Amino acid sequence: MNKKILTVDDSRTMRDMLKLALSDAGYDVVQAEDGVDGLETLDREGADVVITDINMPRMDGFGFIEGVRANPAYRGLPVLVLTTESSPEKKARAKEAGATGWIVKPFDPVKLVDVVRRVSG
Amino acid sequence: MTDQHTNPEIAQQELMAFMAGGQEFCIDIMAIREIRGWTAATPLPKTPGYMMGVINLRGTILPILDLSARLGLGACEPSGRNVIMVVQIGSRAVGLLVDAVSEIIMVKAGDIQPAPSVAMDEMKALIIGIIPVGDRLLSLLDVNLVLPELEAEVA
Amino acid sequence: MSADDPFEAIKQTFFLECEELLTDLEASVTALTFGDGDGETINAAFRAIHSIKGGAGAFGLEDLVRFAHVFETFMDELRSGRKACDDTAIRAMLHASDVLADHVSFARGLIPSMDEERSATVANDLRALMNGAGPAPLPAAAPEPSAPAGTTDEIEAAFGFKPVMFNLDALPEDAAMVPEGWTISFKPHVRLYETGNEPALLLRELARLGPCTVTLHAEALAPFADLHETAAGLSWTIELDAPVEKTAIQEIFEFVEDECDLVIAPKGGALDTPDVGDVDIAALLAAATAPASDPVVPAAADVDIQALLAAAQAPLVPPIQSAGEAPTTAPQTPTKAPAATAAAAPATSAGTQASIRVDLDRIDKLINVVGELVIQQAMLAQSVAECGLTASSTVKVGLEDLEQLSREIQDSVMAIRAQPVKSVFQRMPRLVREVAEMTGKQVRLVTEGEATEVDKTVVDRLAEPITHMIRNAIDHGLEDSEGRAAAGKPKEGTIRLAALHRSGRIVIEVSDDGRGINRERVRKIAIDRGLIAADANLTNEETDNLIFLPGFSTADTVSDISGRGVGMDVVRRSIQQLGGRISIASTPGKGSVFTMSLPLTLAVLDGMVVRAGGQTLLSPLPSIIESFTPREGDLHRIGARDWVIRFRDRFLPLIDTAKVLGFSPPDRGEINGKDGIAIVVENEGGSQVALWVDDIQGQRQVVIKSLETNYRKVEGISAATILGDGRVALILDIDALVVLGRQQANHADFKIAS
């Protein structure tokens, strides 16, 4: 059975890009449009890895990750942050929220899959 | 498709022979989409005399032209015996009113002779060759030329 | 463009999304302009720019990324409060939004060239504002005087390039000396587990680099009962037997460098002192006190990676798969789960994305087929009627239901194409800004009714006339600041753009609070240009509407701005081609209102079926004022050929429809008052003429069929349709008919006292 990846991004383009890259690598992909949607989708569908954007309406990526980590069931769930900023503060902030790691946009599909594999086994 | 009849590399060509204004003509069969019986057309104002008007062809508006009139052979008085050849001209479909269609003939490029200069301008402009078949002589028409109003767009 | 190429398809999605994002951005900036914005408004603007940048980066649209990055950085300054969102900042945002939109259009191939100079200027303005912003200018905000094409640094910053570690660290010293192997000391903190990282996976990654000997140190492990809480008690020493770059190892630990004690040292040597930037003080201390050459753990055992993986994974981290069904959905039985998921999925799609994208061609095809259905139904009804069935027969009743259903389907299908006018309205703030800047006037744009829906074909064609009306209103309608001050008005002029539905049509109003129409001047121009007689007696309304007459606006009355050489007659003509009308109402000193009304769709038309010269024709209902049978003495002949007809208290030119279209048999006599009906229609500038027809057969909604699909435009005819009997009927082009009539009658509308 394929691993399931939840992507949370308000940009349709990004969601499509992620889906294309991940599906090609044999992952199942479920999508959400913002943090709130992301938490609901995660509860409903489950996921083996989560990839989330930071800047989103309603609930941003940091809020989303904190929400994920607040649920003991998702304690060890790898959550990767998509960020265009490679600044240390952004990463630190993501880490503080509970992110497992990050993917810098624009991402190379091979690298993306590599990172996903690295955190999910 | 438009240049098939002049292309020597094409060994054989199918042509549709038909009567219009009492004379025999033929056109490339590839240009014909369908042949249907005559139905009365709704006249269009401010158009050349050979434009019979438009009919409803399964929901699209199909212009009908009187090929006999177009060739300078006199206006046709259409009746139930006349037929409309629906031909493709560029992106457009156009109905040609003719007396009757007779047969499909196969010709080789060598069978087509250059059109001799004839007196009538209308005819000369449309005929791109002549084909003797037994005792008969068929004039080969280029359908792309029948609607000069559209030529600019077809070209 | 190939639909088969998923990447290309996503790119098209990206551009569509850009459109929406730019619209959002425009809305945010507009809100800020009016002081309606708050932190979330700035945030929304930031997100829009950020998303555009993100996508653009994926498609390698470097210029777009570069500009978006500067803009985004600027918005970030505003968002964080480091820079105040004052008038200067808002003005900069306005310009930057426009340039960003241009960059997108250019990348999309919608505009042939990009104004690089303007882009660079605006970007530099943003940077300059940021530099004056205060203590924390971002690196990208660093002054780059005259950097129109962007430096390498800037490109990197713009792309959010994470410099690949190999490159950064592959300095000669390291590169020259790759050791035989590495000794890695790794002690995870609790936080490492809390962030979903997994030592086993990290070890597995290390094993990918080369043969590893892993030593597990369990000395700090807490009692078994507390195991999962204190997993951080574990630490490892890994001997990596491979001559790899240190960066390759660092990369594996990239995500966890702050959440573990990590020391990476060349094998055999002393443990390297890590860079200060790599680990925190605690890690440094740990490294100093835990010399790897002296394994302190007696219980240390060599384990192979596989065993370790199995061991580490089981107790420490619950399998992720269980997460989905954990506490919240625990009671579910396995068989029920798929059903629940299936049921839930559509619910979300309805909640989060209540729309689908459909190719317009498909909808058009559907509309066409439904049009045929309606016609077919009408034909059937006619045949049935001819059979002489009683009104209560089941066939008739069934047919009536069918008609009802056909109409409903038609309405529903038309509704699919309905779109709010918002997309057009939101292009206007930019236009207003540009024209305001060109004219040096202060203008505020107010929009209303953006949600008003209209057929997509109409939406697409609204932009041009609205643009003209707004240009005209700012250029001619509004006074300059001094003029306004003198008139006791606020310095800032207001343009109001509104959309509303009125009796089955969409009405667009463009009003200004300017000076109004100078009727004396309009009248003089009209007389000078021979458009009206010097002694013509016109109402105020008629005078105002003279501006729509062909030949009224000429080069010296149309400025570059309002017309770009296009007069109001052209505007009116383009509106009329859509089956619309335009008029103006003006109050001197108070302003003007342009009102344009359009049909909600271009696919169907309400028409009056008439007969003329033996032909069945359709006259578009919106053009018709009234139809009547003239009484004795209503018709008068003027000159050799021309007729006029009395309508209310005026005499209108009478156009013989059959004759103008060449349908009248040659032997037909002249018009007489007994054998026909006059249809009064409104023509150019709201003036009226009467069409003479044989009789009227009723009103009907018809599907418009183009003559140009298979033929060409025909003078006097706008299109065709298919009537209930399956025959083609032509739709009259009233304006062209009037022109044809004029050519025959050869004199203009006039008025005589009755």
Side-chain angles (χ1 to χ4, degrees):
Chain A
M1 178 159 150
N2 293 340
K3 282 214 158 82
K4 192 191 278 184
I5 300 184
L6 168 65
T7 61
V8 187
D9 200 313
D10 58 328
S11 157
R12 203 162 53 234
T13 310
M14 271 303 149
R15 286 201 302 273
D16 286 359
M17 296 284 294
L18 287 167
K19 182 162 187 172
L20 182 65
L22 295 169
S23 306
D24 278 357
Y27 291 102
D28 290 339
V29 180
V30 287
Q31 301 179 326
E33 294 180 358
D34 57 42
V36 177
D37 187 21
L39 289 175
E40 286 169 6
T41 309
L42 183 59
D43 282 343
R44 195 178 57 245
E45 310 251 345
D48 299 305
V49 178
V50 176
I51 300 175
T52 179
D53 189 24
I54 294 177
N55 292 290
M56 295 182 289
R58 291 213 290 175
M59 182 194 281
D60 68 9
F62 301 130
F64 169 70
I65 298 169
E66 280 159 13
V68 170
R69 295 293 178 221
N71 185 341
Y74 304 135
R75 187 159 223 265
L77 177 64
V79 180
L80 295 167
V81 168
L82 271 173
T83 171
T84 48
E85 290 108 314
S86 51
S87 69
E89 307 104 84
K90 274 275 151 46
K91 289 175 182 170
R93 181 76 208 283
K95 273 298 192 181
E96 200 182 307
T100 308
W102 48 85
I103 295 162
V104 178
K105 287 191 281 190
F107 53 81
D108 166 10
V110 176
K111 186 87 195 289
L112 169 78
V113 171
D114 193 53
V115 172
V116 169
R117 187 187 45 73
R118 205 186 329 156
V119 297
S120 68
Chain B
M1 133 186 125
T2 62
D3 288 334
Q4 274 183 11
H5 35 249
T6 54
N7 187 344
E9 284 173 29
I10 293 183
Q12 281 208 320
Q13 193 178 4
E14 277 187 295
L15 302 174
M16 172 64 79
F18 60 90
M19 299 284 291
Q23 297 187 13
E24 281 202 280
F25 298 90
C26 55
I27 59 172
D28 186 345
I29 204 161
M30 298 304 289
I32 300 179
R33 283 194 359 187
E34 64 179 285
I35 293 168
R36 47 189 295 122
W38 162 252
T39 38
T42 300
L44 291 174
K46 310 273 167 189
T47 48
Y50 54 78
M51 274 306 303
M52 308 279 306
V54 286
I55 65 166
N56 165 18
L57 179 69
R58 290 183 298 276
T60 62
I61 306 293
L62 185 78
I64 304 295
L65 66 82
D66 177 351
L67 199 58
S68 170
R70 175 69 186 88
L71 291 165
L73 300 174
C76 176
E77 292 291 333
S79 71
R81 286 194 304 278
N82 291 89
V83 295
I84 292 170
M85 294 193 302
V86 181
V87 297
Q88 191 75 34
I89 303 179
S91 65
R92 294 175 160 84
V94 175
L96 304 179
L97 175 69
V98 299
D99 299 343
V101 293
S102 44
E103 69 203 295
I104 295 168
I105 57 169
M106 304 280 288
V107 296
K108 295 189 191 67
D111 298 337
I112 302 171
Q113 299 174 15
S117 61
V118 285
M120 281 191 298
D121 285 347
E122 294 97 327
M123 184 93 77
K124 191 165 60 186
L126 299 182
I127 294 175
I128 51 174
I130 52 171
I131 303 164
V133 179
D135 292 343
R136 298 148 63 198
L137 188 67
L138 278 62
S139 302
L140 179 61
L141 297 182
D142 184 348
V143 289
N144 295 300
L145 305 175
V146 299
L147 272 182
E149 302 123 283
L150 305 181
E151 249 172 45
E153 290 170 72
V154 172
Chain C
M1 166 189 135
S2 158
D4 300 333
D5 179 355
F7 194 72
E8 188 58 35
I10 294 174
K11 196 167 176 182
Q12 293 312 313
T13 305
F14 166 64
F15 283 129
L16 287 177
E17 189 169 22
C18 276
E19 251 174 52
E20 290 160 20
L21 292 166
L22 287 169
T23 302
D24 293 349
L25 176 61
E26 181 78 52
S28 300
V29 177
T30 304
L32 290 170
T33 311
F34 291 153
D36 300 337
D38 54 15
E40 182 43 37
T41 315
I42 296 174
N43 239 328
F46 172 86
R47 273 199 308 271
I49 302 160
H50 180 78
S51 289
I52 290 173
K53 187 182 99 172
F59 298 106
L61 305 169
E62 296 187 20
D63 290 344
L64 174 53
V65 171
R66 199 178 300 123
F67 185 82
H69 179 72
V70 177
F71 194 4
E72 178 192 28
T73 312
F74 179 76
M75 292 308 296
D76 199 35
E77 291 290 295
L78 296 183
R79 187 166 76 137
S80 64
R82 285 191 291 267
K83 165 106 189 78
C85 186
D86 53 15
D87 284 355
T88 324
I90 291 172
R91 220 167 11 253
M93 285 169 66
L94 289 170
H95 288 131
S97 311
D98 294 349
V99 171
L100 186 66
D102 285 349
H103 270 292
V104 171
S105 297
F106 180 62
R108 202 178 174 179
L110 295 182
I111 55 172
S113 65
M114 182 65 211
D115 189 345
E116 292 297 344
E117 201 178 315
R118 177 155 184 243
S119 173
T121 307
V122 172
N124 281 332
D125 287 352
L126 291 174
R127 288 193 198 98
L129 282 172
M130 283 188 277
N131 286 339
L138 296 186
E144 253 142 10
S146 72
T151 63
T152 313
D153 282 352
E154 199 183 1
I155 293 168
E156 286 191 357
F159 273 92
F161 252 177
K162 191 186 72 63
V164 178
M165 286 190 182
F166 300 112
N167 298 339
L168 264 192
D169 284 16
L171 298 170
E173 39 188 331
D174 273 0
M177 288 176 39
V178 173
E180 288 296 297
W182 298 88
T183 301
I184 300 143
S185 162
F186 169 50
K187 184 173 191 298
H189 301 168
V190 175
R191 189 64 187 154
L192 183 143
Y193 299 97
E194 285 173 351
T195 57
N197 281 289
E198 169 67 64
L201 293 172
L202 297 167
L203 296 177
R204 190 190 62 180
E205 289 299 310
L206 276 178
R208 284 174 191 273
L209 296 178
C212 286
T213 309
V214 180
T215 310
L216 168 66
H217 312 289
E219 83 283 7
L221 210 55
F224 184 77
D226 298 331
L227 190 62
H228 66 284
E229 290 299 332
T230 57
L234 293 170
S235 66
W236 288 268
T237 304
I238 304 105
E239 300 283 340
L240 173 60
D241 265 330
V244 296
E245 302 273 1
K246 185 179 179 186
T247 50
I249 301 167
Q250 285 173 326
E251 198 175 20
I252 290 172
F253 291 95
E254 179 194 358
F255 295 157
V256 296
E257 58 184 15
D258 293 339
E259 287 143 12
C260 65
D261 301 334
L262 179 69
V263 183
I264 304 167
K267 197 177 174 185
L271 274 181
D272 199 9
T273 305
D275 297 333
V276 178
D278 273 356
V279 257
D280 60 13
I281 297 295
L284 275 174
L285 285 171
T289 55
S293 51
D294 176 22
V296 285
V297 190
D302 286 356
V303 275
D304 75 4
I305 291 286
Q306 288 306 322
L308 187 77
L309 271 176
Q313 193 140 26
L316 295 179
V317 183
I320 303 307
Q321 286 88 328
S322 67
E325 58 208 54
T328 47
T329 53
Q332 274 183 357
T333 65
T335 46
K336 274 170 78 177
T341 312
T348 9
S349 47
T352 57
Q353 193 177 359
S355 63
I356 54 163
R357 282 176 183 273
V358 182
D359 198 29
L360 201 56
D361 286 348
R362 293 195 192 181
I363 295 177
D364 286 345
K365 176 145 195 224
L366 184 60
I367 286 177
N368 249 326
V369 173
V370 170
E372 295 315 309
L373 174 70
V374 170
I375 290 166
Q376 204 64 44
Q377 184 274 327
M379 287 168 68
L380 193 57
Q382 198 160 331
S383 310
V384 167
E386 283 160 10
C387 293
L389 294 168
T390 58
S392 59
S393 79
T394 49
V395 173
K396 264 198 140 159
V397 172
L399 207 57
E400 275 161 24
D401 288 348
L402 181 63
E403 179 176 355
Q404 182 69 25
L405 285 172
S406 307
R407 289 283 171 198
E408 275 176 32
I409 293 172
Q410 193 171 29
D411 289 348
S412 309
V413 171
M414 298 317 270
I416 293 177
R417 287 170 54 108
Q419 288 196 329
V421 295
K422 188 176 170 192
S423 60
V424 176
F425 275 27
Q426 289 195 324
R427 282 186 244 166
M428 297 305 150
R430 174 175 183 177
L431 172 81
V432 168
R433 283 200 296 281
E434 286 176 350
V435 179
E437 247 167 56
M438 266 189 263
T439 53
K441 294 174 182 176
Q442 289 182 37
V443 188
R444 173 192 166 99
L445 175 70
V446 181
T447 55
E448 283 170 35
E450 292 189 326
T452 309
E453 287 193 335
V454 66
D455 190 76
K456 178 166 170 42
T457 48
V458 179
V459 170
D460 292 345
R461 293 163 83 169
L462 279 176
E464 199 185 312
I466 292 179
T467 302
H468 279 300
M469 288 192 290
I470 288 182
R471 282 173 184 276
N472 185 76
I474 298 174
D475 194 25
H476 292 314
L478 293 180
E479 313 89 336
D480 54 21
S481 302
E482 297 86 65
R484 292 185 67 86
K489 295 179 183 178
K491 273 207 310 196
E492 190 180 55
T494 300
I495 300 286
R496 186 176 151 275
L497 172 62
L500 56 139
H501 280 156
R502 189 185 290 156
S503 48
R505 292 170 72 83
I506 184 170
V507 175
I508 306 279
E509 287 180 357
V510 175
S511 46
D512 64 71
D513 62 349
R515 57 172 82 94
I517 294 235
N518 182 341
R519 297 201 174 106
E520 276 313 301
R521 194 157 152 264
V522 165
R523 190 185 161 84
K524 185 173 180 309
I525 292 170
I527 293 170
D528 288 350
R529 304 207 191 287
L531 301 171
I532 54 168
D535 57 351
N537 178 14
L538 301 179
T539 64
N540 286 341
E541 195 190 336
E542 283 169 328
T543 307
D544 291 347
N545 283 286
L546 288 174
I547 64 165
F548 294 115
L549 282 184
F552 180 85
S553 355
T554 60
D556 63 297
T557 56
V558 176
S559 79
D560 209 25
I561 295 145
S562 63
R564 279 186 179 162
V566 174
M568 291 309 286
D569 61 319
V570 177
V571 175
R572 198 179 48 114
R573 185 129 203 99
S574 75
I575 292 167
Q576 280 174 332
Q577 272 163 8
L578 299 179
R581 274 184 281 183
I582 183 170
S583 62
I584 182 171
S586 184
T587 312
K590 294 270 171 61
S592 307
V593 185
F594 282 93
T595 305
M596 109 178 154
S597 86
L598 288 167
L600 294 177
T601 171
L602 299 179
V604 297
L605 170 111
D606 283 311
M608 188 174 271
V609 184
V610 302
R611 298 276 299 172
Q615 297 301 317
T616 304
L617 300 162
L618 258 107
S619 178
L621 216 47
S623 310
I624 298 176
I625 307 291
E626 197 173 315
S627 61
F628 66 101
T629 309
R631 290 166 308 177
E632 193 92 22
D634 281 348
L635 265 71
H636 292 273
R637 192 173 187 149
I638 294 185
R641 290 185 305 239
D642 309 335
W643 291 81
V644 293
I645 187 166
R646 186 198 302 269
F647 176 59
R648 294 173 189 161
D649 287 335
R650 307 164 57 190
F651 281 90
L652 305 178
L654 185 66
I655 293 171
D656 183 347
T657 310
K659 193 169 159 193
V660 162
L661 293 176
F663 286 153
S664 48
D667 56 347
R668 196 193 76 156
E670 283 293 343
I671 291 174
N672 67 57
K674 296 190 186 73
D675 59 2
I677 295 174
I679 302 175
V680 179
V681 293
E682 195 169 74
N683 83 325
E684 301 173 2
S687 63
Q688 297 165 354
V689 299
L691 300 180
W692 187 249
V693 299
D694 299 343
D695 76 79
I696 290 174
Q697 298 191 319
Q699 288 179 19
R700 191 164 305 176
Q701 190 178 60
V702 296
V703 179
I704 297 173
K705 304 274 181 183
S706 170
L707 282 173
E708 284 143 76
T709 309
N710 287 323
Y711 190 49
R712 61 166 167 86
K713 180 129 187 60
V714 173
E715 217 179 346
I717 302 299
S718 65
T721 188
I722 296 167
L723 293 181
D725 60 3
R727 292 202 51 178
V728 177
L730 302 178
I731 300 169
L732 296 173
D733 179 346
I734 299 294
D735 288 343
L737 213 54
V738 169
V739 172
L740 284 174
R742 281 227 174 105
Q743 284 165 2
Q744 291 189 3
N746 202 24
H747 68 78
D749 180 17
F750 68 106
K751 202 172 164 178
I752 53 175
S754 54

